[in-house]
């Protein structure tokens, strides 16, 4: 969505001048989910992306990790500035990396293709040392201290919880209990690995987006979450069980390591919990029911594999 220049936040033109050397001359796009994102053409013709989000302490680590991968040639946008505080916001700029296509599909073959990307991404992040980007994104924050089934999120917790189907709550509770019992070490990983955050040029990966969503969780849990979410190209959905299984097997092959039985259970549990979190949000906010329907159909088998 584009906006007129005079509708940009008041702080943004001066910020661009100070940190990028030019004020905005045109707005290429604007979007808002977790972060407020502006695609801008600066005076002088350079195109950049500026991202602003509530400063919860995570952004500096996420941007630092993104910068390390970009330096190594991983296909992602290169940060142009460090994170800068603007009031209650954490703001940074990165290069504009347009182009590429979103690939659609949830087949086992597509799962293997995406698992190869995720394995490469996780291997690269294994060599990056940053302060853990905590708190984790809420859709993988099953370990929030003091919470029960869900992490505390005001805009969701204030909605009518009676509309939430019981099967979503039950799946989340069982998966969370298994996840909390594992005691596996945490690693840095991408926690929003969805089709809509990948861009392809034919069979070549062009870009991985949404580095704001890095997380600090066990590797098996991050892989399991990705194995369920990789096919989401819009509202969150849940991949078929056979495709998640293909993703998990392929990831281990590409990483040349075999998950222990406990790690496999944690992978399946994480996929369930993330799917339940997304289904809860859709149910409370009146979104599409596809993710919740898929969870209802698959929960028993996924929870069995999770030993939950």
């Amino acid at each position: 969505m584009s906006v007129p220049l005079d509708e940009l936040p008041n702080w943004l033109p001066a910020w661009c001048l100070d940190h990028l050397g030019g004020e905005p001359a045109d707005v290429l796009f604007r979007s808002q989910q977790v972060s407020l994102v502006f695609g801008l053409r600066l005076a002088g013709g350079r195109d950049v992306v500026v991202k602003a989000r509530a400063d919860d302490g995570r952004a500096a680590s996420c941007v630092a990790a993104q910068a390390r991968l970009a330096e190594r040639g991983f296909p992602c946008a290169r940060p142009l500035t460090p994170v800068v505080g603007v009031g209650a916001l954490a703001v940074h700029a990165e290069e504009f990396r347009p182009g590429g296509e979103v690939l659609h599909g949830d087949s086992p073959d597509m799962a293997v293709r995406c698992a190869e990307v995720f394995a490469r991404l996780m291997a690269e992040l294994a060599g990056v040392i940053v302060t853990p980007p905590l708190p984790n994104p809420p859709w993988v924050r099953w370990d929030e201290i003091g919470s029960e089934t869900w992490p505390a999120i005001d805009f969701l917790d204030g909605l009518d919880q009676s509309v939430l189907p019981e099967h979503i709550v039950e799946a989340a509770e069982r998966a969370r209990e298994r996840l909390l019992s594992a005691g596996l070490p945490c690693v840095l990983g991408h926690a929003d690995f969805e089709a809509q955050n990948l861009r392809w040029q034919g069979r070549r990966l062009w870009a991985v987006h949404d580095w704001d969503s890095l997380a600090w969780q066990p590797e098996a849990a991050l892989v399991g979450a990705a194995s369920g979410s990789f096919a989401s190209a819009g509202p969150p959905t849940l991949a078929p069980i056979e495709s998640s299984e293909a993703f998990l097997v392929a990831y281990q092959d590409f990483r040349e390591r075999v998950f222990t039985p406990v790690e496999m259970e944690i992978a399946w549990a994480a996929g369930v919990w993330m799917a339940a979190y997304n289904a809860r949000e859709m149910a409370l906010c009146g979104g599409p029911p596809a993710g919740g329907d898929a969870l209802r159909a698959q929960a028993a088998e996924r929870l069995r594999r999770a030993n939950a």
Side-chain angles (χ1 to χ4, degrees):
M1 180 178 65
S2 183
V3 297
L5 276 172
D6 59 5
E7 292 184 14
L8 293 174
N10 292 334
W11 56 265
L12 185 53
W15 190 94
C16 290
L17 182 61
D18 289 344
H19 297 281
L20 298 169
E23 292 190 352
D26 194 13
V27 181
L28 306 177
F29 66 86
R30 174 189 182 276
S31 67
Q32 182 168 11
Q33 293 184 352
V34 176
S35 297
L36 181 60
V37 182
F38 294 95
L40 302 173
R41 178 160 294 152
L42 303 180
R46 181 163 64 141
D47 294 342
V48 301
V49 174
V50 177
K51 296 184 175 182
R53 59 176 296 153
D55 190 357
D56 56 6
R58 293 174 33 82
S61 292
C62 293
V63 171
Q66 179 183 351
R68 305 278 173 78
L69 265 64
E71 289 169 2
R72 296 175 185 175
F74 189 86
C76 62
R78 178 175 59 88
L80 300 173
T81 72
V83 174
V84 180
V86 179
L89 298 175
V91 183
H92 81 280
E94 62 187 40
E95 66 181 358
F96 184 39
R97 193 178 175 93
E101 297 179 338
V102 175
L103 293 189
H104 298 267
D106 61 7
S107 68
D109 286 345
M110 183 63 73
V112 171
R113 185 170 176 179
C114 291
E116 182 175 11
V117 174
F118 198 68
R120 178 185 172 193
L121 186 159
M122 292 294 288
E124 291 282 358
L125 286 174
V128 173
I129 306 301
V130 295
T131 301
L134 297 172
N136 282 313
W139 52 89
V140 292
R141 200 190 304 163
W142 49 75
D143 54 351
E144 181 171 278
I145 296 174
S147 69
E148 296 183 0
T149 306
W150 315 105
I153 304 172
D154 290 343
F155 88 93
L156 290 178
D157 297 343
L159 298 175
D160 180 7
Q161 305 297 308
S162 68
V163 304
L164 187 61
E166 181 58 34
H167 79 274
I168 294 175
V169 179
E170 179 185 358
E173 289 175 342
R174 290 172 61 183
R176 182 173 185 267
E177 183 177 358
R178 182 68 189 96
L179 288 160
L180 294 180
S181 71
L184 297 175
C186 292
V187 301
L188 186 65
H190 199 297
D192 203 17
F193 191 76
E194 299 183 340
Q196 62 188 345
N197 289 327
L198 307 180
R199 296 294 184 276
W200 301 82
Q201 292 181 341
R203 294 198 62 85
R204 171 175 170 253
L205 179 68
W206 170 243
V208 177
H209 295 295
D210 196 14
W211 295 89
D212 295 354
S213 295
L214 291 182
W216 186 250
Q217 289 288 15
E219 179 183 7
L222 293 166
V223 178
S227 77
S229 68
F230 74 88
S232 295
T237 186
L238 179 62
I241 289 175
E242 59 270 21
S243 297
S244 292
E245 182 175 29
F247 189 108
L248 294 173
V249 170
Y251 178 88
Q252 295 170 79
D253 289 343
F254 289 122
R255 287 284 273 143
E256 297 183 342
R257 66 169 298 243
V258 178
F259 283 171
T260 66
V262 169
E263 286 178 309
M264 285 299 294
E265 291 172 4
I266 293 307
W268 286 106
V272 170
W273 197 91
M274 184 174 177
Y277 175 93
N278 288 331
R280 178 204 185 210
E281 182 172 343
M282 291 295 101
L284 293 178
C285 297
D293 292 345
L295 180 63
R296 185 195 299 273
Q298 299 181 30
E301 175 59 20
R302 285 179 174 271
L303 290 167
R304 183 192 69 79
R305 296 185 185 209
N307 192 24

